[in-house]
Amino acid sequence: MGVYSGIAQDNVTINSGKAVLQTMTVTTGVRMVVTAVAAAGTNQATAAALAEGLNVVSAADGTKGVKLPTAVAGATVVVKNTAAGALKIYPATGAAINAVSANGSYDITNLTSTMLVASSATQWYSVPLVAS
């Protein structure tokens, strides 16, 4: 079980092992985790792992890829491809991105970004972002 820091005990209810926050005051802002990742491999099994949050990806060359974490409804992953080549983005085994078949890659071009949001345990949807 995690440690709650700065949360009043009367603001948290535990139901069936899940903590429910009743009230929360944010004083320092909400920050997204940022991870640097080098694209790797040539298929879903050998692609570099992504984490929830912002993933700044290097080394894409049109054949290398990255792999999303296991989908959980509401999970959000932002991918920024900083490389000169296209980037292959794979779901976790058994999942799909958009209308691409299960385990297939969703490709983004060089120097672009996309946000991926899981709608279920097996489906991700992309929210394209502007080129940058």
Side-chain angles (χ1 to χ4, degrees):
M1 176 175 266
V3 176
Y4 296 99
S5 176
I7 299 175
Q9 188 174 11
D10 59 345
N11 288 336
V12 178
T13 305
I14 306 290
N15 291 324
S16 302
K18 295 182 180 179
V20 177
L21 184 60
Q22 305 298 327
T23 306
M24 178 173 75
T25 302
V26 178
T27 57
T28 60
V30 178
R31 295 187 178 110
M32 183 179 285
V33 174
V34 178
T35 306
V37 179
T42 57
N43 58 42
Q44 184 185 37
T46 58
L50 295 176
E52 283 192 56
L54 172 63
N55 294 267
V56 180
V57 181
S58 62
D61 64 3
T63 63
K64 295 177 183 172
V66 291
K67 184 176 172 180
L68 293 167
T70 300
V72 175
T76 304
V77 176
V78 179
V79 179
K80 170 62 179 166
N81 180 7
T82 63
L87 174 67
K88 295 185 171 298
I89 302 172
Y90 295 95
T93 304
I97 302 170
N98 296 334
V100 177
S101 62
N103 304 315
S105 71
Y106 167 70
D107 301 351
I108 63 172
T109 192
N110 61 310
L111 306 176
T112 60
S113 304
T114 189
M115 179 169 53
L116 297 132
V117 180
S119 64
S120 71
T122 58
Q123 183 65 57
W124 290 89
Y125 287 107
S126 66
V127 179
L129 304 174
V130 298
S132 57

